[in-house]
Amino acid sequence: MIVSTAHKAKGREWARVRIADDFTPLKDSDQQDDSGRPVPGPIENGGARLADVAVTRTRQRLDMSGLSWIDDHPEGNPARRHRGIDSATTRHAAVISFATSTPG
């Protein structure tokens, strides 16, 4: 298994990738939706590009559990726009992290 940051993963690919849980959800804005729930803040371009690098490193299987909060974000669900994703995987060739440096 390879553990990599999203920054260091750029340009590389693995058969299976799991997104680590350090891609933290956005802070809520002061706005509320129709049901009174807080609306998450906007997705910044840098964070969106980094997440895009992370999710496009896989050739076959992607476990997006570390970015699962994006499913509820009002700006959309990029996982559904990316064809060929199979998020039901338990073995991974790489774990992609938001961190700025790799462990060890």
Side-chain angles (χ1 to χ4, degrees), residues 53-99:
V53 167
V55 300
T56 57
R57 300 305 91 201
T58 187
R59 290 188 304 266
Q60 296 171 357
R61 296 184 142 201
L62 174 64
D63 176 346
M64 274 196 40
S65 55
L67 278 170
S68 62
W69 56 266
I70 196 74
D71 293 339
D72 297 323
H73 197 279
E75 289 185 30
N77 179 349
R80 293 187 183 137
R81 292 184 213 136
H82 184 43
R83 298 179 332 184
I85 290 177
D86 177 1
S87 61
T89 182
T90 56
R91 270 187 83 214
H92 309 286
V95 177
I96 307 290
S97 170
F98 183 80

Side-chain angles (χ1 to χ4, degrees), residues 3-45:
V3 177
S4 175
T5 66
H7 291 93
K8 289 186 179 183
K10 190 171 182 176
R12 300 182 71 192
E13 284 188 333
W14 295 275
R16 295 175 301 276
V17 169
R18 180 174 67 91
I19 305 300
D21 62 1
D22 59 351
F23 280 87
T24 55
L26 301 168
K27 293 182 180 180
D28 292 336
S29 68
D30 295 332
Q31 300 175 350
Q32 295 181 342
D33 66 12
D34 294 339
S35 4
R37 293 179 303 200
V39 174
I43 298 173
E44 295 179 13
N45 286 338

